[in-house]
Amino acid sequence: MNRVILIKYGELTTKKGNRKLFINTLYSNILKKLKGLEVNIFKDMSRMYIEYDSLNEKEILKRIGEIFGIHSYMIAYKTNSNLNDIKKTISEVIETSFDMSLNYTFKVETKRSDKSFKNNSMECNDIFGSYILKNYSNLKVDVHAYDILVHVEIRKDFSYVYINEYKGLGGYPVGVLGKGLLMLSGGIDSPVAGYLALKRGIKLDLVYFEAIPHTSLEARNKVLELAKKLLVYGFDMKLIVVPFTKLQEEIYKNVPGNYSITIMRRMMYRIMEKLTKRFKGLAIINGESVGQVASQTLTSMKVINSVTNLPVIRPVACLDKLEIIDISKKIDTYDISILPYEDCCTVFVPKHPIINPNLEHCLEMEANFNYEELITEIINNLMVIDITSKESEYEDIL
Ligand code: ATP
Ligand code: MG
């Protein structure tokens, strides 16, 4: 078959020094994503080419559409780099892609990366344009309002002809910026935050705080389902389940109701810092959104954040809830997120959580109980689950 999938890189082309790393990461992500489908992938500094079995074409196009770091991708017809073969291929592309009983306008756009090719790009446009006009009476040139844009890329070894370009997801290849640990609850915000972090090239491990028996196994299952949705865009993620019950109960025994959420979140951040170190991450990521609840006022965020020096990335910090919901629908997490299972944050929610907490007060309250011992116990009793898309893997966990 002379068809290949041609991939144009995303934003990475602007990062000159890191270009190799970006391309190699994208390459290995594409290999992982296309696992099980027979493909050959070739890469150079400006493009990737995938040879494939035509039976798998639809599936491959779908999967490529789920990979970050790709600007656009298309089915391109590969041919030899000479005018006659390119013309023949243009005919093949036009005749297989359009209903030839209808009239169309067209434009030819030639890109010539092989500068030793005897005609320049403008001459090629004329040559191929005239060829099309001569052979197809139903096609007329219109360089401004065209129905068909015929792309010709002339390279040293081979040339490529293509028509339809699909828009890629953009962003950076996942992993190129190292790893972050995402605080993944069962809510709407955190899966969206995870998706946006992946888009910036951050590989993820996921952390879920659970408070069994106050929270249910269904709640954990819901988080697992959300994790699987993120796996569509991420690679090799772990879900770290944090047994939070004892510490949470201690907080509610020792801390006045209005400060309980503030202290609980300070404890979560302390645990996140330890986990980030243990799992070799560089940052904490979560679904906090400024102003959404009492613990997400700027004063609250400052007091909570002060327990760690790690960068805390909040991808949805400045989005409206409706904007977050739009993304959650797009990535198919919304219907899972709205399932009605209690989260450890909602179980103990006080009537009047403080919106302007005072750091000194927090420190005094925390001095009342030995939380460090409880945190050490938690860190020694984590459950770590490798996320895969296969159902059977989880039977013994749920
Ligand atoms: P919602 O979509 O209902 O706002 P949420 O998950 O965003 O749900 P918040 O109380 O706003 O809930 O929590 C803010 C952030 O803290 C979450 O986005 C998530 O990153 C983190 N978080 C909250 N609860 C948990 C939990 N049980 N496990 C892990 N992370 C959590
Ligand atoms: Mg929220």
Side-chain angles (χ1 to χ4, degrees):
M1 191 178 76
N2 66 342
R3 275 188 302 197
V4 298
I5 291 172
L6 194 158
I7 288 179
K8 295 186 186 174
Y9 304 145
E11 242 178 289
L12 58 88
T13 47
T14 59
K15 298 273 180 285
K16 278 214 175 86
N18 289 328
R19 202 154 156 158
K20 251 202 169 130
L21 171 68
F22 278 59
I23 293 169
N24 289 339
T25 308
L26 180 61
Y27 176 79
S28 89
N29 287 351
I30 292 176
L31 269 184
K32 280 184 207 159
K33 189 78 185 172
L34 299 184
K35 207 172 155 195
L37 304 168
E38 254 175 61
V39 291
N40 289 317
I41 307 178
F42 305 92
K43 59 175 160 44
D44 63 31
M45 291 308 268
S46 62
R47 300 273 189 272
M48 236 175 257
Y49 307 89
I50 304 176
E51 289 180 353
Y52 59 97
D53 183 336
S54 61
L55 285 175
N56 298 328
E57 186 170 277
K58 228 174 134 191
E59 178 64 20
I60 293 175
L61 288 173
K62 176 181 157 282
R63 294 195 202 177
I64 298 286
E66 297 168 342
I67 299 175
F68 288 123
I70 294 176
H71 170 73
S72 60
Y73 56 104
M74 60 232 63
I75 296 172
Y77 290 65
K78 186 174 171 183
T79 186
N80 297 317
S81 290
N82 67 63
L83 290 175
N84 268 343
D85 282 339
I86 293 172
K87 284 179 190 169
K88 266 193 240 153
T89 307
I90 288 175
S91 285
E92 186 186 350
V93 174
I94 289 176
E95 287 168 28
T96 52
S97 309
F98 296 96
D99 177 351
M100 295 312 278
S101 65
L102 301 176
N103 293 321
Y104 301 96
T105 54
F106 78 95
K107 174 187 175 181
V108 178
E109 210 168 82
T110 306
K111 225 176 144 184
R112 193 186 53 134
S113 70
D114 175 15
K115 300 296 178 205
S116 67
F117 194 77
K118 66 177 189 289
N119 307 96
N120 68 26
S121 302
M122 294 296 280
E123 289 165 358
C124 287
N125 288 344
D126 284 344
I127 293 166
F128 300 136
S130 310
Y131 169 79
I132 294 170
L133 284 174
K134 208 173 111 199
N135 286 277
Y136 300 99
S137 56
N138 59 328
L139 267 68
K140 298 269 168 297
V141 174
D142 189 333
V143 294
H144 301 295
Y146 43 84
D147 304 314
I148 305 173
L149 180 57
V150 180
H151 297 264
V152 180
E153 287 198 14
I154 300 175
R155 307 191 138 240
K156 211 169 189 71
D157 301 330
F158 294 103
S159 292
Y160 299 89
V161 180
Y162 58 89
I163 288 175
N164 293 321
E165 211 166 327
Y166 304 102
K167 199 169 174 307
L169 275 186
Y172 296 143
V174 172
V176 93
L177 275 131
K179 192 205 277 184
L181 265 67
L182 171 71
M183 300 169 71
L184 183 63
S185 66
I188 294 169
D189 302 329
S190 51
V192 171
Y195 171 82
L196 294 174
L198 288 166
K199 182 169 188 177
R200 290 284 88 195
I202 304 173
K203 186 172 155 43
L204 296 180
D205 278 338
L206 317 170
V207 182
Y208 169 56
F209 291 77
E210 78 174 0
I212 284 178
H214 310 296
T215 60
S216 60
L217 279 179
E218 280 90 348
R220 185 198 292 174
N221 190 23
K222 181 179 165 184
V223 171
L224 211 45
E225 290 302 316
L226 291 171
K228 280 196 245 169
K229 292 291 178 188
L230 287 178
L231 190 69
V232 170
Y233 308 96
F235 302 91
D236 321 317
M237 296 188 301
K238 288 187 180 62
L239 175 65
I240 303 153
V241 181
V242 176
F244 203 41
T245 315
K246 255 199 206 166
L247 179 52
Q248 209 168 17
E249 287 172 352
E250 280 303 301
I251 294 169
Y252 286 92
K253 249 190 257 159
N254 292 290
V255 174
N258 60 340
Y259 264 79
S260 57
I261 294 279
T262 313
I263 303 294
M264 183 190 78
R265 294 198 66 82
R266 282 166 60 85
M267 296 300 167
M268 283 180 152
Y269 271 52
R270 288 187 171 104
I271 293 169
M272 285 307 294
E273 182 169 83
K274 291 203 187 312
L275 294 179
T276 304
K277 199 167 169 201
R278 156 97 67 104
F279 290 88
K280 300 191 169 52
L282 298 164
I284 297 170
I285 295 150
N286 67 35
E288 287 173 351
S289 184
V290 177
Q292 199 183 80
V293 288
S295 62
Q296 292 163 28
T297 62
L298 291 184
T299 317
S300 282
M301 285 166 119
K302 181 167 177 245
V303 167
I304 291 165
N305 208 151
S306 68
V307 300
T308 177
N309 288 322
L310 283 173
V312 179
I313 316 258
R314 302 173 175 89
V316 302
C318 297
L319 298 187
D320 292 346
K321 193 74 187 186
L322 287 178
E323 292 171 315
I324 300 172
I325 288 175
D326 274 352
I327 301 175
S328 77
K329 287 185 175 162
K330 196 179 98 187
I331 63 173
D332 208 21
T333 53
Y334 181 75
D335 289 338
I336 304 171
S337 292
I338 58 172
L339 292 172
Y341 304 114
E342 295 286 8
D343 181 65
C344 75
C345 288
T346 44
V347 175
F348 295 97
V349 128
K351 269 216 181 82
H352 301 292
I354 191 156
I355 57 171
N356 282 312
N358 175 297
L359 182 58
E360 299 306 318
H361 290 171
C362 289
L363 295 171
E364 281 163 24
M365 290 168 196
E366 286 170 357
N368 287 338
F369 66 110
N370 192 352
Y371 65 83
E372 272 164 12
E373 205 170 90
L374 290 166
I375 288 181
T376 306
E377 192 183 328
I378 284 173
I379 299 294
N380 290 333
N381 285 287
L382 301 169
M383 179 195 277
V384 181
I385 304 168
D386 280 323
I387 303 298
T388 97
S389 45
K390 288 195 217 99
E391 292 295 331
S392 57
E393 309 271 335
Y394 304 113
E395 272 165 11
D396 53 340
I397 300 167
L398 297 174

